[in-house]
Structures are given as C-alpha cells and as structure tokens.
Amino acid sequence: MASRTGDLVSQVHPAHQLDLYALLRYASANVSGFPSSPSHFKVSQFGHGQSNPTFLLEAGSGGIVKRYVLRKKPPGKLLPSAHAVDREFQVLRALGDHTAVPVPKAFCLCTDPKVIGTAFYIMEFLEGRIFIDPKLPGVAPERRRAMYRATAKALASVHSANVDAIGLGRYGRRDNYCKRQVERWAKQYIASTTEGKPESNPKMFQLIDWLHQNVPPEDSSGATAGLVHGDFRLDNLVFHPIEDRVIGILDWELSTIGNQMSDVAYSCLPYLVDFGNKEGVFQGFELTGIPEGIPSQAEFLEDYCSTAGKPWPAAAWKFYIVLALFRGASIFTGIYNRWLMGNASGGERARDSGARANYLIDFALTFVARKSVLPEFPPSDVSKSFSEERGRFVPYERVKLLRDKLIKFMEEHIYPMESEFIKLALSESRWTVHPEEERLKELAKKQGLWNLWIPFDSAARAKNLFFKGGGHAFSGDTYNSLLGAGLSNLEYGYLCEIMGRSIWAPQVFNCGAPDTGNMEVLLRYGNEEQLQEWLIPLLEGKIRSGFAMTEPQVASSDATNIECSIKRQGDSYIINGTKWWTSGAMDPRCRILIVMGKTDFSAAKHKQQSMILVDIQTPGIHIKRPLKVFGFDDAPHGHAEISFEDVRVPAKNILLGEGRGFEIAQGRLGPGRLHHCMRLIGVAERGMQMMAQRALSRKVFGKYIAEHGSFLSDIAKCRIELERTRLLVLEAADQLDRLGNKKARGTIAMAKVAAPNMALKVLDMAIQVHGGAGVSSDTVLAHLWAGARTLRIADGPDEVHLGTIAKLELQRSKL
C-alpha cells in the first residue's frame, strides 16, 4: 500500500530538536511566499530513511496552511564528505530550473549553523504517494507495471540531463567513477568499524578485492559519464496522488557525476534482496516469486535502456550489482555506527543495520560465484527484431525530449525572427551580425541545445585531450558542456532535420556549416595545442571559420587538380593560390580557415595534398569579393573568393602532417557532409508545410487549390519522396555509426544524391503553388531552393556520388 507523503511524519526525535523561533524567522525572510507572521507553525519529522534528518514545516493563518520540507545535516561528529546538504540543494536547483526531471522546487540553502545547529535547505512539499515496499502490495497488477515503467522513465530522465548545460559540469569527476566508489565506500566502511563499533567483517575485504579486479573498461575514460542520483530506488520517488507517474525524485545526498549504470543496478536490488523486511534482509522477489504485474529485472532494464538510449549491460552487470550490494553494506554499517553513537535519524530501524550489512556481504559473494546473472540480449531482442512500440528508426526518449525542446525553440524564437534576419541581410549593413542572434545563441546554450552535432566518439577524444585522463575541466569557464549531448549520428539526424527548416537556425545552435565540418576536423585530427587555440573558441561560438578548397582555375570536384601551393620554409609554410566559394569567410566573426593545398607536387597522387590552419588576419590574405548563389549573397555568412599571396603560417599549424589532406578530407566527408542531407529533410518539410497551408487558403477557379485533383496527386507524391529519402538518410547515419565512413560510403553517396533532388522537387511544387510569391523574397522558398540546388554541386557533384554507387554495385556483382 502507498503512504501519503504527509502521513510519514511523527514527533521530532529528541536528538533533532530545532530552534523553532530562529527557523521561523529565517524561513519568513528567505522563502518566497512563506507566511511572515503565521498563527500556526508546526514542525514534524519524517521517519522514513536513515540519512539526513528531514522535517515537515506547516505554517499558516486563518485556516490556510502552507507546507514545506526541510533537510539538514545530522548533529554530532560525521564521516568525511557525508551528508552534504549543499550538494543536494545545488542539484535540485539545477534540475528544477533547467530540465523536466521531476524534482521538488528548492527554495533556499542556509549554511550558517547558528540558525538551527547545522546547515539545511528548504524545498517544496509534494503531495503524493510513496511506496515503501517495492512489491507494491495492494496495487492492481496493471498499475504495478505502469508504475515500474514510470520508475524506469524517471531514472532515464535523470540520466538524460545535460550536466554541462545546466551548470553541473563541475559536480564531480567523470573518469574512474566505479574505481573511486570502491575506494570511497571501503574507506567509509573502515571508518565506521574503527575501534570495533561495530566489528568489521573480513568477507567485506574479499569483496573489495574482487571489485578492484573487475572494474569495467568503460569506467576509466568517463566518456559516457553523466548525472548519477546515487540512491535511486522506489521509496525515494513521489508518485502523483492518483496517476501512475513520478512527480518527485527525493534524497540526492549521494548524487554526483559518474557511471550511470551504477544507478540502474542499485535500483534493481529489490529483485535480488529484500531491504524492507523489518526482521532483516531476505531474498528479493525475482528469487522468491515476482508479484503479478511487476516486470522482470530484464524487462525493467529494457524499459530503461530503450528510454535512455543505453546499450544492454549484460557484459558488466555482475560488477554493477556487486558494487551496489557492497555500497549498501557500507551504508548500513555507517547507519549502525551512528545508531551506536546515538545520532542515527532512522530510530529503532537503525538497530538492525549491522545485521543487514553482513547479509548483503554474504549475498554479494554468492552473486560473484554465479555463472550467469543477466540474459545476453534484452527480452524482445531489440538488436535483432523490432517490437510494435519501437521501430528501427524510432528515436529514444532522450532524443524525443531534445527534439521537443528544439521544436519549441524554433517556434518561439527562430521563425518569429526570420523577417528581421532577412531585413538585415538585404540592407547596407548586411555584413554585420544581428544582435538578436547572439542572444539566441546564449539561450540555446542554457537550454542544452548547443553543439548537438558532435559525435560521441569525437567528444571522447576531445575529453581525453582536454582533461588528459583526469576528468578535470580546462581553463576558465569553458567546460565540456561544449562537447554536445553525446549523440550518435543517427540520433542527431532527428534534430538536424528540425534545424534545417530555417536557413538561420543551425548557426544559432552552433550546428551550421562549414563550422561543424571544420570542428569535426579539429576534433578528429587536431593536436592539443590546435584544439586549445582554435577549437575551443569555435565550440564556444565566439568565432567562426571557413573551408578553403575549391579553386576557380580547375575542376575542384577532383581534388587532385587543386593548384594552391603550401611550401615549407624553415619553421613556416608559405601559401600561394586562389580559392573561391569559401563559405563563411565573409562573416565578421570568421577567424580561422582550413586551407587545402599541395605540399609536394611530386609525391603520389593522393599524397600531395595537405591541410593547414590559417588565421584569416594573416598578411597576404585578400578577400577579393563575395559570391552570389542565384542572386543570394547569404550575408553575413557569405561565400568568398580569396587570394593567398606569400602567406606565412607557422609549421605547427599543419593538420596531422604533410600529405595527409586526402585522409582528413575523407573523414570530414562523413558526418559533416551527411548533415546537409539531414537539413534538407527539414527544408522539404518546411516546403510541404507552406505548400499545404497555401493550398488550403487560396482559391482558384472556384475552389481551393487543395481541392484540385492534380494538386492532391502532386502533394502525395512529394510526401512519398520525402519519407523514403528520410529513411535513406537515417540508414546512412546508422551505418556511419555502426560501420564507419568507409563501409557506409555507398549509402552516404545515395543520400547525397537523393536528398537535394527530393528537396528541389518539393520546393518546386511549393513555389508553383505560391505563384509569384514563391519566386519573390516575400517567402523563404526561393532562398531554400537556391541552397538545395547548390548542394547538388557543393556537397560533391551528383556525378561523383553516382560513380561511387555504381562502382560499389559492380564490385558486389563480381563477388
């Protein structure tokens, strides 16, 4: 049965008595809306839990009573780093202000012990239900299933939080989390058993040795680390009073940044051990019989993994469970130690904590001896087949959440500003940046919509360079919030499409070309010095960049034709040549160019080319003119023709080394170039939307355009083309993730041909429906069409991609 949150209180324990006058005075002054001079002020203590003492505050006058919750440090001598209520307050405030994670609102933090004896904070009281027993007695089977699914969703929401975007980037180290957890709880156990109060268990040290020897390999880098709750279990959740959904996650005392699978394993302990029995700890319900309606451990894990976008954890599951049991044993020992000292907040329940700790130690050693602890694949085997609820290209929950945020941002901030951006782009001041753009960029950062394009493997490499394996931040305020949300190329595809619906949107999220491709080059091939000097400002959005490869004198679709020379001269390289269609070079924020030229004209055909970083302000660089695309100069971004006359660049600016230009280009032509295809899906969707709206609002020959048979046929064909092209682009992104650039190159080439041609067909139809307005600057259609048509050349000519597809097809036929 559930307990109402307000029913879990009793009289304040004698050891935890508070100075009510001082507390009332402080709360009235620091909690917004708190009654200033209440006629009624009552403090009760929550009896559930054995950690930080928690109290219910009730204040009011005239029959109106407001309720709040206060959490404080326990009195007396405490173990080091324990009971950090300031950290609880910090994480609650960050999640409450910036995410959809269900947490109570945090009002104020008091670190002055003079008020009530220890530090404390005050937060919102949530009226709801708490289930102490994970077997959910008295709950209908179908509701049990819904509640466990809601639990998995709540945990996934915690793990989907972008810690860097919400100000928690420094909340903990990212590397070696599990290793440090073993060390931390071992020290806590030793500290709790000092002087024999209570006596230590020798088996605990066997467990510590096994854990040290079996830390999963992925734990060391911290590349996949995120927010960890630290004590995520059913009885730390507040469910809605009548609905089967979580409205609050409580008890964040142990939260940090780290390996999130440790949270998942801890939440699964009721399947293996029964903590709630008053007589001790017994086997969990997966061993004694799962109550009807409650999913199996594997089913619960599958719910979590599919919602959070996490891989199936079979390989390391034994370690994570044993770590959770070990930590539980250490915590119970600490509670028992505090009970012996007279300052445990759990009352008589704390008396049994020593015996509970020893049971967990024995069970953990038994669990270690098991051969199999989790099926090799999830129950529905998502890796091999697709359920009714999830198809192959249905995005995970965290991607859906980002997509929803992105759509909302576009509707509230981007679309309303398009006319202003157009107005500036057509004015005499068009080579300046609209001030609203910079404001929107800061807003995108705050909302966790910044640098979403960065692939997780590139982010991991950057973290290793920035943090040098230590998990620490680099200088200043620049933290690895700049390294995106850790998305795969497939996951980013769903988001890139949304950005593509507006010409001006990608740059607001720092997801625009050519910056993404150039940052990808630096992420993959730059050294630490190059990353510090150029990548960080680009990631921050403080500067922009250009890619200088195409030349007016030669057919640059064949990169072996380029003539720009990059000659070594002492500690420098001297660059001579002319480039054009250097997109982004006209932007007043452009500071760095990646230039492709030849360092050795006599080397093998594909070893002559190199890429080098060039400061655009270097003497000898002359921007000759802005180029127009079907009459659009795309100000302030622009496309420049640039001459390089004896431009001297430091030798350290060479990327990867001489003769590696083609190698870099092939890497750059993967994710960065597929982004164009993703955006083109969004372009086509914008065209479809505008086409349909126009057809439903304009009459011709006595009826709406949408009622004409020819239009109905055409718009249906456009939808078919759009959907099959979307699937092709998603397939290319998926292959890019699973197989890499080389093996995915055929599908990528198909997407590059299909996407612009499909978008052009849709836009042409939309323009036709709009008539004269379609070819004017009164709508975005003409500009979108110009950009899409350019990508049949700029993204590599269709003929080159078709050649690649044909060669691969013929190779398959020979096999």
Side-chain angles (χ1 to χ4, degrees), residues 165-474:
I166 64 175
L168 294 177
R170 299 176 184 269
Y171 196 59
R173 285 176 56 184
R174 306 181 186 229
D175 67 317
N176 295 310
Y177 172 77
C178 292
K179 178 182 177 183
R180 289 185 286 106
Q181 283 285 293
V182 175
E183 293 169 353
R184 173 189 175 179
W185 293 109
K187 289 178 182 177
Q188 295 280 60
Y189 183 79
I190 293 169
S192 297
T193 54
T194 301
E195 301 178 357
K197 292 184 178 181
E199 293 184 3
S200 63
N201 185 337
K203 293 180 180 179
M204 186 66 154
F205 299 98
Q206 296 178 34
L207 209 54
I208 293 170
D209 289 340
W210 184 88
L211 287 165
H212 273 307
Q213 295 168 18
N214 290 275
V215 176
E218 67 263 23
D219 188 64
S220 60
S221 69
T224 58
L227 183 61
V228 171
H229 179 274
D231 194 16
F232 192 92
R233 58 181 197 252
L234 193 72
D235 58 340
N236 272 334
L237 304 180
V238 179
F239 283 82
H240 187 275
I242 58 174
E243 299 174 14
D244 299 327
R245 60 183 175 90
V246 176
I247 61 171
I249 303 172
L250 308 178
D251 201 351
W252 291 82
E253 179 193 346
L254 300 177
S255 61
T256 186
I257 294 176
N259 190 319
Q260 295 175 325
M261 199 52 65
S262 62
D263 251 356
V264 186
Y266 189 75
S267 71
C268 287
L269 285 186
Y271 287 99
L272 304 171
V273 289
D274 179 2
F275 287 101
N277 196 302
K278 294 181 179 180
E279 299 178 7
V281 182
F282 297 96
Q283 289 184 332
F285 49 70
E286 189 154 85
L287 303 175
T288 60
I290 300 177
E292 185 183 358
I294 291 180
S296 67
Q297 178 183 234
E299 290 170 335
F300 175 78
L301 270 175
E302 184 175 22
D303 278 345
Y304 165 80
C305 290
S306 63
T307 303
K310 300 286 187 182
W312 187 244
W317 189 242
K318 181 183 287 187
F319 172 87
Y320 291 118
I321 288 291
V322 173
L323 176 63
L325 293 165
F326 160 73
R327 194 189 70 164
S330 181
I331 291 172
F332 274 130
T333 303
I335 294 170
Y336 188 49
N337 171 271
R338 294 201 302 278
W339 183 82
L340 291 173
M341 295 171 65
N343 65 350
S345 65
E348 288 303 305
R349 287 193 67 197
R351 180 200 296 268
D352 302 323
S353 298
R356 295 170 188 262
N358 288 328
Y359 179 91
L360 291 180
I361 294 169
D362 290 339
F363 186 90
L365 289 173
T366 303
F367 195 80
V368 166
R370 290 189 189 179
K371 289 185 178 180
S372 176
V373 298
L374 191 70
E376 184 178 356
F377 299 104
S380 65
D381 197 356
V382 180
S383 62
K384 294 183 178 180
S385 62
F386 310 118
S387 68
E388 293 180 5
E389 294 185 9
R390 276 200 56 80
R392 183 174 183 182
F393 293 132
V394 177
Y396 288 113
E397 188 67 25
R398 66 166 181 157
V399 179
K400 289 181 181 178
L401 292 173
L402 283 170
R403 188 174 183 273
D404 290 344
K405 286 177 66 176
L406 200 56
I407 290 172
K408 184 178 180 183
F409 193 103
M410 295 281 289
E411 291 174 347
E412 292 181 355
H413 304 291
I414 301 295
Y415 300 138
M417 277 299 299
E418 282 186 333
S419 60
E420 292 299 315
F421 290 143
I422 292 172
K423 189 183 300 182
L424 178 64
L426 296 176
S427 73
E428 294 181 357
S429 302
R430 65 185 184 280
W431 300 111
T432 62
V433 179
H434 198 292
E436 185 67 8
E437 181 181 325
E438 295 303 313
R439 189 190 71 80
L440 291 178
K441 286 164 67 174
E442 292 304 314
L443 186 59
K445 289 179 186 178
K446 291 178 181 178
Q447 293 193 15
L449 299 174
W450 190 256
N451 285 337
L452 295 174
W453 62 272
I454 300 178
F456 54 81
D457 56 339
S458 294
R461 179 180 184 272
K463 287 177 183 178
N464 288 334
L465 283 172
F466 289 150
F467 309 135
K468 297 183 179 178
H472 301 295
F474 40 80

Side-chain angles (χ1 to χ4, degrees), residues 548-553 562-567 574-580 582 595-598 601 620-624 641-647:
M549 175 181 164
T550 306
E551 298 178 4
Q553 304 94 332
I562 62 173
E563 297 175 342
C564 178
S565 67
I566 306 174
K567 293 184 178 180
I574 309 299
I575 305 174
N576 282 282
T578 300
K579 299 287 185 179
W580 71 343
T582 304
V595 179
M596 186 166 181
K598 290 185 177 179
F601 284 76
I621 294 179
H622 304 286
I623 297 179
K624 299 173 72 173
E641 181 175 352
I642 306 176
S643 66
F644 297 82
E645 299 175 10
D646 293 328
V647 176

Side-chain angles (χ1 to χ4, degrees), residues 28 316 451 507 609 666 727 778 785:
S28 298
N451 285 337
Q507 62 206 43
Q609 298 79 11
Q666 291 307 306
L727 287 174
D778 289 357
W785 185 93

Side-chain angles (χ1 to χ4, degrees), residues 599-719:
T599 45
D600 187 351
F601 284 76
S602 62
K605 188 175 183 181
H606 293 94
K607 294 291 183 180
Q608 298 177 12
Q609 298 79 11
S610 301
M611 288 192 188
I612 193 166
L613 299 167
V614 182
D615 188 327
I616 199 169
Q617 296 179 344
T618 306
I621 294 179
H622 304 286
I623 297 179
K624 299 173 72 173
R625 58 172 174 147
L627 301 166
K628 292 185 177 182
V629 179
F630 294 105
F632 295 99
D633 59 17
D634 292 329
H637 180 65
H639 315 278
E641 181 175 352
I642 306 176
S643 66
F644 297 82
E645 299 175 10
D646 293 328
V647 176
R648 184 177 295 272
V649 179
K652 66 179 182 179
N653 285 20
I654 200 79
L655 281 165
L656 206 57
E658 290 189 12
R660 309 287 293 274
F662 255 91
E663 178 183 344
I664 297 171
Q666 291 307 306
R668 187 183 190 275
L669 291 177
R673 288 300 176 90
L674 193 56
H675 295 172
H676 283 312
C677 300
M678 297 170 178
R679 281 189 287 267
L680 283 167
I681 301 298
V683 166
E685 283 289 5
R686 184 82 182 272
M688 289 288 289
Q689 180 187 33
M690 293 180 67
M691 182 198 316
Q693 289 174 346
R694 185 77 167 188
L696 290 167
S697 63
R698 286 289 180 122
K699 286 187 175 181
V700 58
F701 302 114
K703 57 183 178 179
Y704 288 107
I705 296 174
E707 295 175 328
H708 287 267
S710 60
F711 171 80
L712 295 173
S713 174
D714 287 340
I715 195 171
K717 290 176 182 177
C718 285
R719 174 52 66 186

Side-chain angles (χ1 to χ4, degrees), residues 442 445 450-451 478 482 510 535-542:
E442 292 304 314
K445 289 179 186 178
W450 190 256
N451 285 337
T478 312
L482 302 176
N510 216 35
L535 178 60
I536 291 175
L538 282 167
L539 290 171
E540 292 175 317
K542 292 181 178 178

